[in-house]
């Protein structure tokens, strides 16, 4: 823990202004896309939050540039939201067969969904079969032979999928790819 | 930075990760036997880069472990959820297309069980999800610490500050005659303040509370998410505290105050252990277990759930804040309790 001299005066003047100028527009754009005022308000806030947490991308040449950036970021968050809800629905549907005593508490639910979203981010760029092979192996412990039968491919292909999926996850985890 | 990652988690090269992924696929094959494992061990021993790459493979696998070990129904549900979630996303064209409409309809039907994103982004900050203007302010903080990080700051004329894990501080210059206004935007700080050269006192703001002092040593702690109460412990000197809309009140060395947005809740003796975190250790002498766990939680991602009947157990010892898991294991050896880690961010402490 080294003592560091304080750097004073480094200010970030333009985010407040950016917020004032574009927040209303962004919320309107999101409302048209999502069809729900509460979601639109939440995601507009999240979009600015993202800008705030990744300050490298601040500083826009023109209002048009700022809006293009905000639109891209907000679009990504829409996909995230849809994904989260789709994931949650399928997860709950499948869990519904469990006796009530084993059902997770709301807090556990939130944590599991968050963990699944993180895994989804690792896997999102993979071809569908590679992702499915990897999930069958990692989550349900299936053998290559069983996975091959499930997916209708050869065992050699399953092995290839496994290496491909693991590499993609490891690259994302190591911050070497998006 | 007070912590560095173990060397095994240094970023390996892409080629090494490729090789490690190939090894993983070979070893996971049910037909793999001792010859493959021996060859893999030889590869692993060849270089630190190989070991670093393999550590990443294991880190990926560990993400799946708790879901798999929760049992077949849970694992099946996790897979169903992931497959549904992955049907939306960059691969299927930025979420456009049939999946999107279907999801949008279901989304309306569901009404949103969990609220919206942001959770992941915010959790590393460890701050309460506040209104945006507050978060904007936090972004402008001159100093903020990540979860598990502590920082020591030198101010003018021998004054020092320590920022605890997940904290944010802004220093607002007040001109050449005055020391900067300190604004604690979240988290906790320990201040060791000397009289400023020109006699103008120090001022600190935190939420709706204002502190003033000429010289003092004190610890100020803002509530974590889920908590409500702030706390000020004065160890040396004298601090004027104005909480909420109440009048100022002087706290002497050895006194402490609990307060919230409205005002003062109670006064009591200062707790000496509250200054030990700056050294990365928590020194407990008859500290209620609940308090200790609350401190450890400041250093750990996720949630520690403590059985209420254990909260008042008195604890003695020196606990490493930088290794909360190790601290919990120490407790499990000293006290009649058991630590269960069912998910990476979910730790349960229950009676043995």
């Amino acid at each position: 823990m080294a003592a560091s001299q304080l750097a004073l005066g480094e200010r970030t003047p333009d985010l407040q202004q950016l917020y004032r100028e574009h927040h209303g527009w962004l919320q309107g754009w999101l409302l048209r896309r999502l069809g729900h005022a509460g979601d639109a308000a939440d995601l507009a806030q999240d979009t600015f939050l993202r800008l705030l947490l990744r300050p490298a991308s601040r500083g826009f040449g023109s209002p048009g540039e700022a809006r293009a950036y905000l639109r891209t970021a907000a679009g990504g968050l829409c996909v995230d939201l849809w994904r989260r809800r789709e994931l949650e629905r399928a997860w709950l549907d499948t869990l519904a067969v469990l006796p009530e005593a084993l059902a997770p508490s709301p807090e556990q639910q939130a944590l599991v969904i968050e963990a699944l979203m993180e895994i989804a981010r690792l896997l999102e760029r993979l071809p569908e079969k590679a992702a499915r092979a990897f999930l069958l192996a990692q989550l349900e412990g299936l053998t290559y032979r069983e996975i091959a039968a499930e997916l209708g491919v050869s065992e050699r292909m399953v092995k290839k999928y496994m290496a491909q999926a693991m590499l993609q996850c490891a690259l994302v985890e190591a911050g070497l790819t998006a | 930075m007070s912590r560095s990652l173990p060397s095994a988690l240094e970023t390996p090269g892409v080629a090494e990760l490729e090789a490690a992924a190939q090894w993983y696929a070979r070893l996971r094959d049910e037909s793999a036997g001792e010859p493959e494992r021996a060859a893999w061990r030889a590869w692993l021993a060849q270089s630190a880069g190989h070991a670093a790459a393999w550590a990443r493979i294991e880190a990926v696998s560990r993400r799946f472990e708790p879901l798999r070990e929760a049992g077949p129904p849970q694992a099946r549900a996790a897979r169903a959820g992931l497959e549904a979630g992955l049907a939306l996303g960059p691969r299927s064209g930025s979420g456009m297309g049939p999946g999107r409409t279907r999801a949008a309809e279901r989304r309306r039907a569901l009404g949103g069980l969990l609220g919206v994103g942001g959770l992941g982004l915010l959790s590393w900050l460890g701050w309460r999800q506040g209104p945006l203007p507050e978060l904007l302010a936090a972004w402008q903080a001159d100093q903020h610490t990540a979860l598990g990080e502590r920082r020591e700051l030198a101010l003018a004329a021998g004054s020092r500050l320590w920022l605890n894990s997940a904290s944010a501080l802004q220093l607002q210059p007040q001109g050449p005659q005055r020391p900067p206004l300190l604004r604690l935007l979240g988290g906790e700080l320990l201040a060791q303040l000397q009289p400023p050269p020109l006699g103008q006192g120090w001022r600190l703001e935190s939420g709706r509370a204002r502190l003033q002092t000429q010289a003092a040593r004190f610890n100020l702690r803002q509530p974590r998410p889920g908590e409500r109460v702030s706390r000020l412990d004065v160890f040396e000197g004298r601090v004027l505290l104005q909480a909420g809309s109440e009048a100022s009140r002087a706290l002497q060395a050895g006194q402490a105050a609990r307060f919230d947005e409205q005002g003062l809740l109670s006064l009591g003796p200062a707790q000496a252990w509250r200054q030990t975190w700056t050294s990365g250790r928590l020194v407990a002498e008859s500290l209620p277990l609940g308090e200790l766990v609350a401190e450890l939680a400041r250093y750990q991602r996720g949630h520690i759930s403590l059985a209420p009947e254990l909260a008042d157990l008195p604890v003695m010892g020196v606990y490493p804040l930088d290794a909360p898991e190790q601290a919990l294991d120490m407790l499990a050896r000293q006290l009649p309790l058991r630590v269960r880690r069912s998910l990476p961010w979910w730790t349960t402490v229950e009676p043995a």
Side-chain angles (χ1 to χ4, degrees), chain A residues 6 12 19 34 39 43 46 52 58 83 85 88 111 115 118 126 138 140 142 144-145 173, chain B residues 24-25 28 30 63 68 79 88 91 106-107 113 116 118 132 136 139-140 143 155 278 345-346:
Chain A
L6 288 173
T12 47
Y19 181 77
L34 295 167
D39 286 351
L43 282 201
D46 272 15
L52 174 163
R58 70 178 187 268
R83 168 182 283 166
R85 296 209 169 139
E88 183 182 11
L111 289 167
E118 282 183 22
L126 281 172
Q138 288 280 11
E140 300 195 50
L142 264 56
Y144 283 9
R145 180 189 302 262
E173 189 115 335
Chain B
Y24 164 78
R28 176 63 177 69
E30 56 271 19
R63 282 182 179 274
R68 185 174 58 235
R79 187 166 65 83
L88 304 164
R91 211 179 51 222
R106 274 173 186 144
R107 183 182 51 65
L113 254 164
V116 170
L132 191 64
L136 288 172
W139 183 50
Q140 296 180 348
Q143 301 286 336
L155 299 169
T278 55
W345 2 246
W346 189 274

Side-chain angles (χ1 to χ4, degrees), chain B residues 10-327:
Chain B
E10 273 165 23
T11 304
V14 173
E16 284 150 342
L17 284 175
E18 262 166 17
Q22 292 291 343
W23 274 114
Y24 164 78
R26 276 167 79 179
L27 294 173
R28 176 63 177 69
D29 190 338
E30 56 271 19
S31 65
E34 190 45 41
E36 282 85 2
R37 284 194 283 275
W40 164 73
R41 278 194 295 271
W43 172 83
L44 197 60
Q46 256 168 25
S47 78
H50 292 179
W54 189 256
R56 292 289 175 176
I57 303 297
E58 290 188 342
V60 171
S61 292
R62 270 199 302 276
R63 282 182 179 274
F64 293 89
E65 232 162 60
L67 296 163
R68 185 174 58 235
E69 285 173 359
Q74 289 275 2
R76 203 171 312 123
R79 187 166 65 83
L82 279 166
E83 286 184 357
L86 285 168
L88 304 164
R91 211 179 51 222
S92 51
S94 304
M96 305 300 280
R100 177 196 161 188
T101 358
R102 208 176 66 233
E105 281 161 15
R106 274 173 186 144
R107 183 182 51 65
R108 284 192 199 98
L110 260 174
L113 254 164
L114 282 169
V116 170
L119 192 65
L121 278 174
L122 272 174
S123 53
W124 72 262
L125 286 169
W127 295 331
R128 183 201 307 273
Q129 177 158 13
L132 191 64
E134 224 171 276
L135 287 163
L136 288 172
W139 183 50
Q140 296 180 348
D142 297 294
Q143 301 286 336
H144 54 233
T145 51
L147 199 70
E149 188 192 355
R150 284 181 308 275
R151 189 172 305 162
E152 182 179 353
L153 309 169
L155 299 169
S159 293
R160 309 185 89 71
L161 294 174
W162 290 260
L163 267 188
N164 205 347
S165 165
S167 301
L169 177 72
Q170 191 177 32
L171 292 109
Q172 231 163 8
Q174 303 291 300
Q177 304 292 313
R178 289 167 161 272
L181 169 66
L182 309 173
R183 295 181 64 210
L184 180 64
L185 303 163
E188 180 167 18
L189 69 71
L190 182 83
Q192 174 79 57
L193 300 176
Q194 306 294 338
L198 292 166
Q200 300 274 7
W202 292 92
R203 290 189 304 137
L204 192 157
E205 290 181 6
S206 171
R208 294 193 59 212
R210 289 157 212 282
L211 276 63
Q212 285 181 56
T213 184
Q214 283 297 319
R217 179 178 170 88
F218 64 86
N219 191 70
L220 177 65
R221 174 193 161 107
Q222 280 208 341
R224 285 181 68 242
E227 298 174 351
R228 200 175 47 83
V229 178
S230 301
R231 185 178 171 105
L232 170 68
D233 288 79
V234 181
F235 304 111
E236 292 167 18
R238 179 172 176 270
V239 178
L240 274 180
L241 167 68
Q242 196 240 313
S245 49
E246 291 177 356
S248 295
R249 171 188 294 265
L251 265 73
Q252 310 290 344
Q255 285 191 306
R258 293 168 65 250
F259 56 94
D260 66 8
E261 298 279 279
Q262 265 68 54
L264 191 71
L265 296 168
S266 66
L267 286 173
Q271 297 175 327
W273 63 267
R274 290 194 182 271
Q275 44 187 336
T276 62
W277 60 262
T278 55
S279 62
R281 294 188 307 266
L282 200 147
V283 183
E285 291 176 29
S286 280
L287 183 65
L289 180 61
E291 301 241 43
L292 175 57
V293 167
E295 288 311 304
L296 293 175
R298 291 203 159 215
Y299 277 79
Q300 182 164 306
R301 214 188 144 129
H303 181 74
I304 305 178
S305 153
L306 176 67
E309 61 268 39
L310 296 177
D312 291 325
L313 275 182
V315 180
M316 301 270 277
V318 180
Y319 300 89
L321 287 169
D322 288 339
E325 300 213 336
Q326 196 187 323

Side-chain angles (χ1 to χ4, degrees), chain A residues 76-88:
Chain A
L77 291 177
C78 287
V79 174
D80 237 43
L81 172 63
W82 290 323
R83 168 182 283 166
R84 182 182 294 269
R85 296 209 169 139
E86 189 76 346
L87 192 154
E88 183 182 11

Side-chain angles (χ1 to χ4, degrees), chain A residues 13-177:
Chain A
D14 49 9
L15 198 65
Q16 299 270 15
Q17 194 189 342
L18 209 63
Y19 181 77
R20 274 198 307 274
E21 284 174 4
H22 302 299
H23 180 264
W25 163 82
L26 182 66
Q27 197 164 321
W29 184 83
L30 282 164
L31 179 59
R32 285 193 298 281
R33 200 135 193 240
L34 295 167
H36 184 284
D39 286 351
D42 284 345
L43 282 201
Q45 164 142 339
D46 272 15
T47 307
F48 280 95
L49 181 61
R50 179 165 290 205
L51 192 61
L52 174 163
L53 293 175
R54 304 209 181 122
S57 50
R58 70 178 187 268
F60 297 109
S62 67
E65 210 178 299
R67 289 197 174 183
Y69 174 89
L70 290 170
R71 201 160 41 223
T72 308
L77 291 177
C78 287
V79 174
D80 237 43
L81 172 63
W82 290 323
R83 168 182 283 166
R84 182 182 294 269
R85 296 209 169 139
E86 189 76 346
L87 192 154
E88 183 182 11
R89 178 200 56 78
W91 183 72
L92 285 172
D93 280 359
T94 315
L95 271 189
V97 301
L98 278 185
E100 197 160 326
L102 293 176
S105 71
E107 224 166 355
Q108 284 169 325
Q109 276 189 29
L111 289 167
V112 171
I113 295 295
E114 193 56 28
L116 293 178
M117 283 295 287
E118 282 183 22
I119 290 175
R121 276 173 213 126
L122 294 180
L123 299 174
E124 67 184 0
R125 309 248 165 220
L126 281 172
E128 187 202 337
K129 282 198 174 172
R132 285 188 63 202
F134 197 61
L135 290 176
L136 285 165
Q138 288 280 11
L139 289 172
E140 300 195 50
L142 264 56
T143 64
Y144 283 9
R145 180 189 302 262
E146 289 164 333
I147 297 169
E150 175 86 24
L151 299 183
V153 298
S154 69
E155 283 179 50
R156 239 183 87 245
M157 203 62 211
V158 171
K159 196 180 203 170
K160 223 182 116 194
Y161 286 153
M162 292 293 286
Q164 182 187 8
M166 182 50 98
L167 175 61
Q168 174 66 20
C169 291
L171 285 172
V172 179
E173 189 115 335
L176 294 172
T177 185

